[in-house]
Amino acid sequence: MNEYGKEILGTCCRRNTHISTHMSGNALLKVIELQYADDCAIVAHDAEDLQNILDVFSSTYTAMGLRVNTLKSEIFVQTIHPPETPHLFLINGELVKTVEHFTYLGSVVHSDCSVDLDIQRRINLASSAFGRLRDRVFSNNNPRIDTKTAVYKAVCISTLLYGSEIWTTYRRHIRTLENFHTRCLQRIPGISWKDRMTYDELYHRTQKSSIETLLAQRHLHWVGHTIRMPENRLPRQMLYGQLSSGSRSVGGPKKRYKDHCKDLLINCNINPNELETLAVDRQTWRTVCTSGTNTLAIETSRKKAENRSKRHQRMAGAQPTPREEHLCHKCDKMCGSRIGLNSHLRWHERQSH
């Protein structure tokens, strides 16, 4: 067995609130270690606890004939108020690198708990997958459009939305993902901006849904799956858990996953108070998710059509500015715009000096 057969990811959470969560009754959940295959994540609530846990792990592996590879181990710190002198973590006397973000199980975790880097990485990977298949599949005239879209869904969409079930997205994230999604769908049938095709028409022609609808489906399915888990499962405990002490920061705190799920249920016309009752039965919940996402897609299309109609009305009702207003009173030159007239008058001032 290789002596560097174990890699450790240490996470230190320094916050004003304790990360332990209250579960049903008075039980207190405290996550210390997460293991998946050959990956190991250690969780501590302060620097001293993390260093003690690292020492215990290192001594245990040494007794088993293993040695922790410090080059592949990283320390990840989450804190509201960074200390003036960062704490140094050692394993067998070797310094472990401290990072602001890292990739764990395919997802990028950042110190500020945002998903910006993760979404950007997903877009890069999906774009790379789309580029590898462009000449052979998407730009090839032999396959049918439904075959191309099926390949796009299986390869690119699965890569783009990997791990999206736990994303807490904002409107800017939806726009970024939607722009990439529509660009790919436009290239499959060879549609350009000259065709002036709306997104709804594009989705209907390619028989695909918007990214907002796909994200809603994944979130609802995952929430229902988590609710149906046994009470001893960690995902279900974290979904129902809450901070044991402390309070959220004032002045517009960040949106929580629970807030995102509640807003999604309301937008899908699902009563949040009936969530647990509906999610208990798998088939019933699937039917509710399908009808809810269809409602969300219809409402989103209606809002887009309404905004498009208002924009066209403003453009049609706007009266062109008379060109006489852009006439220079010094040399009778007719400028093309008000900004051009101001620039021309400044030229006259420089010439007079």
Side-chain angles (χ1 to χ4, degrees):
M1 182 178 295
N2 192 341
E3 64 175 355
Y4 291 95
K6 203 66 179 179
E7 304 164 10
I8 292 182
L9 167 68
T11 60
C12 177
C13 302
R14 298 179 187 168
R15 293 185 178 272
N16 292 338
T17 56
H18 204 255
I19 308 301
S20 301
T21 56
H22 277 304
M23 307 309 301
S24 58
N26 296 323
L28 185 64
L29 171 67
K30 189 172 184 179
V31 181
I32 297 178
E33 179 186 5
L34 300 173
Q35 289 189 353
Y36 182 83
D38 58 346
D39 293 321
C40 179
I42 301 172
V43 183
H45 300 291
D46 54 56
E48 291 74 14
D49 289 347
L50 180 58
Q51 184 61 61
N52 294 334
I53 296 176
L54 291 176
D55 295 338
V56 172
F57 268 72
S58 178
S59 60
T60 303
Y61 293 147
T62 302
M64 299 172 58
L66 301 175
R67 183 178 179 183
V68 178
N69 190 345
T70 56
L71 298 178
K72 296 183 179 180
S73 302
E74 295 177 342
I75 302 297
F76 174 72
V77 180
Q78 286 184 306
T79 177
I80 298 178
H81 305 290
E84 297 180 358
T85 57
H87 194 280
L88 301 179
F89 299 92
L90 302 176
I91 298 180
N92 292 330
E94 299 180 6
L95 181 64
V96 184
K97 180 175 61 175
T98 302
V99 297
E100 293 185 357
H101 60 85
F102 63 93
T103 303
Y104 183 67
L105 301 182
S107 299
V108 179
V109 185
H110 199 272
S111 57
D112 60 357
C113 299
S114 65
V115 296
D116 297 345
L117 291 179
D118 194 16
I119 290 178
Q120 189 59 48
R121 183 173 182 269
R122 290 288 112 201
I123 293 176
N124 295 339
L125 293 175
S127 177
S128 178
F130 187 91
R132 288 193 298 268
L133 297 174
R134 178 181 300 175
D135 296 335
R136 181 172 298 182
V137 178
F138 301 127
S139 299
N140 193 345
N141 296 326
N142 294 327
R144 298 181 303 178
I145 293 181
D146 56 350
T147 303
K148 295 180 180 180
T149 53
V151 174
Y152 169 72
K153 178 181 179 180
V155 178
C156 300
I157 290 296
S158 59
T159 304
L160 179 66
L161 300 183
Y162 175 81
S164 61
E165 295 85 356
I166 58 174
W167 286 351
T168 304
T169 55
Y170 290 83
R171 180 51 54 181
R172 66 178 187 273
H173 301 138
I174 302 295
R175 286 196 298 265
T176 303
L177 294 169
E178 205 76 66
N179 292 337
F180 172 80
H181 181 53
T182 52
R183 285 198 305 268
C184 293
L185 291 181
Q186 288 171 350
R187 292 174 183 175
I188 291 176
I191 299 174
S192 64
W193 64 271
K194 298 180 182 179
D195 299 322
R196 303 186 67 85
M197 180 179 294
T198 63
Y199 287 173
D200 293 336
E201 295 174 351
L202 176 64
Y203 297 147
H204 178 73
R205 179 172 178 179
T206 57
Q207 297 182 356
K208 294 301 175 185
S209 304
S210 63
I211 286 294
E212 186 174 7
T213 304
L214 295 177
L215 284 175
Q217 292 176 352
R218 289 172 173 259
H219 275 94
L220 292 177
H221 288 167
W222 172 250
V223 170
H225 176 67
T226 306
I227 292 176
R228 290 190 297 270
M229 288 182 180
E231 294 185 358
N232 61 337
R233 293 288 302 276
L234 183 60
R236 191 177 191 276
Q237 292 176 351
M238 297 303 298
L239 179 64
Y240 284 93
Q242 56 184 335
L243 293 176
S244 58
S245 61
S247 60
R248 302 175 68 189
S249 58
V250 298
K254 295 182 179 180
K255 184 167 62 173
R256 300 171 298 182
Y257 184 76
K258 293 181 180 180
D259 301 331
H260 174 69
C261 292
K262 185 177 181 179
D263 294 340
L264 181 60
L265 292 173
I266 295 175
N267 294 333
C268 294
N269 198 20
I270 302 175
N271 189 356
N273 298 327
E274 300 177 358
L275 172 61
E276 295 183 353
T277 304
L278 297 173
V280 169
D281 184 69
R282 187 188 302 271
Q283 297 299 330
T284 302
W285 181 243
R286 286 184 177 180
T287 304
V288 171
C289 292
T290 301
S291 61
T293 51
N294 291 337
T295 302
L296 176 63
I298 294 173
E299 184 65 18
T300 303
S301 300
R302 186 192 65 80
K303 290 181 180 179
K304 289 183 179 179
E306 183 179 351
N307 294 335
R308 192 183 308 115
S309 176
K310 291 181 180 180
R311 185 170 63 252
H312 290 172
Q313 292 177 1
R314 289 195 302 266
M315 295 176 62
Q319 298 295 332
T321 305
R323 292 183 59 86
E324 288 74 11
E325 294 185 2
H326 307 322
L327 179 64
C328 179
H329 62 279
K330 294 185 178 181
C331 62
D332 296 334
K333 179 181 178 180
M334 187 67 67
C335 299
S337 62
R338 179 179 56 84
I339 298 178
L341 176 60
N342 295 337
S343 177
H344 181 70
L345 293 177
R346 287 196 299 269
W347 179 83
H348 276 295
E349 295 178 358
R350 290 193 300 268
Q351 292 297 323
S352 62
H353 292 305

